[in-house]
Amino acid sequence: MLIAQISDLHVVAPGSTPTTAYDTNARLAAAVAHLNALDPRPDLVLITGDLINGPKPGEYEALAEILAPLAIPYRVLAGNHDDRDGLRRSFAGTGWMPMANEDIQGDFIQYAVEEFPVRVLMLDSVVAGSPVGALCERRLAWTAERLAEQPERPTIIALHHPPFDTGLAFLDTLRCVEGAEELGRLVRSSPNVLAVLSGHTHRQTALNWNGAYGYVAPSIAYQIALDLTPEPPYRWTEEPSALALHLYRPGAGLITHLSPIGGYPAKDFSRKARNS
Ligand SMILES: [Fe+2]
């Protein structure tokens, strides 16, 4: 199974100014074309939050238009820039967006993706009005219940805010802190959890976390500058948009490749280079 992960799309309403020099809507359109052209084509695309930049009127409509040509099944979760009602409205006709909170009290958008060899638990780490993430008791209890249902099945947990430090000091202050330790305990006691996939930092990071693979996807909209100093300025860079390709091999877990979006064609080596 091949899973593509795209994150932090930050789509704006037509005529609005994006946060950086980049046209984020055009970048998402390029990502959609890139995904459709991949060979082999991914089985599933996970969109790990911040689908829009606001929330502001017109953004989810613009998002729907740009995602319409995507020819691969996809699932979304909420980021701190999203609006849960807007997300529900946008994906109301898909059949997979939970419209009522039947199995979780509160306004959270949490659901399990069951249709593929790897099960994905989509968590909602959003705290309304805050850039910082959290998992409250109800969201954690839902996660524990879902994990208990299928303890043998390869499972990915996806949430917008990383529940772990990335070493990017400023961004680590905005991660999921409340509930992270409890989630870590669930992961540690669930050997079938392959990975915990996040977004939010706009910078690829990979680590080992509680016996599973922790991963933060780069952003489609723009990348945050790599700076591992203790008090880095918060800056973006001109590095390209990229997506992650997670290849699942039974027994081997997830193997992640970065796929930058743009014109990077493969070239044949010259005979001279081949012989060297
Ligand atoms: Fe973001």
Side-chain angles (χ1 to χ4, degrees):
M1 182 181 182
L2 187 61
I3 301 169
Q5 183 186 0
I6 63 174
S7 202
D8 295 84
L9 321 178
H10 289 266
V11 164
V12 296
S16 303
T17 312
T19 311
T20 67
Y22 296 125
D23 178 343
T24 50
N25 294 18
R27 286 195 145 201
L28 177 58
V32 168
H34 185 91
L35 284 162
N36 285 340
L38 285 171
D39 182 18
R41 196 176 258 192
D43 301 287
L44 171 67
V45 180
L46 296 178
I47 308 179
T48 45
D50 282 2
L51 282 76
I52 57 162
N53 197 48
K56 286 188 184 144
E59 290 177 327
Y60 280 117
E61 288 76 8
L63 173 74
E65 209 171 293
I66 303 168
L67 283 181
L70 182 56
I72 306 166
Y74 65 90
R75 301 290 185 271
V76 308
L77 52 75
N80 50 294
H81 284 260
D82 286 300
D83 163 61
R84 291 188 182 108
D85 289 339
L87 266 187
R88 284 200 177 89
R89 270 199 305 277
S90 256
F91 300 102
T94 60
W96 48 259
M97 169 59 70
M99 300 306 290
N101 298 87
E102 283 145 8
D103 57 356
I104 183 169
Q105 288 184 318
D107 188 34
F108 314 115
I109 296 178
Q110 295 204 158
Y111 60 102
V113 183
E114 304 279 14
E115 302 92 321
F116 300 91
V118 175
R119 190 187 195 210
V120 187
L121 301 182
M122 304 290 268
L123 304 193
D124 181 335
S125 56
V126 173
V127 177
S130 170
V132 179
L135 290 172
C136 60
E137 279 179 21
R138 279 177 292 179
R139 284 174 273 189
L140 287 164
W142 181 95
T143 309
E145 284 164 21
R146 298 290 82 70
L147 287 171
E149 286 170 349
Q150 300 185 46
E152 305 291 331
R153 187 161 165 209
T155 299
I156 287 171
I157 292 175
L159 72 170
H160 180 65
H161 299 80
F164 37 69
D165 276 344
T166 62
L168 303 164
F170 174 67
L171 291 159
D172 284 343
T173 66
L174 305 179
R175 73 170 173 86
C176 175
V177 177
E178 183 191 333
E181 248 184 77
E182 290 84 346
L183 181 67
R185 275 199 288 276
L186 285 174
V187 168
R188 182 160 288 285
S189 61
S190 308
N192 61 314
V193 173
L194 303 170
V196 177
L197 307 181
S198 295
H200 190 48
T201 69
H202 293 221
R203 174 127 226 120
Q204 177 181 247
T205 309
L207 67 153
N208 190 297
W209 191 62
N210 285 288
Y213 170 51
Y215 181 79
V216 184
S219 166
I220 294 299
Y222 56 90
Q223 314 308 314
I224 294 295
L226 174 61
D227 192 333
L228 297 173
T229 59
E231 292 181 30
Y234 187 50
R235 297 184 297 188
W236 60 279
T237 87
E238 295 187 351
E239 290 171 31
S241 292
L243 56 85
L245 286 174
H246 304 294
L247 177 63
Y248 169 65
R249 290 245 172 98
L254 287 194
I255 305 162
T256 300
H257 292 274
L258 190 72
S259 187
I261 295 155
Y264 307 102
K267 310 269 190 187
D268 289 332
F269 288 101
S270 67
R271 186 181 296 272
K272 195 175 159 197
R274 268 205 313 273
N275 293 336
S276 63

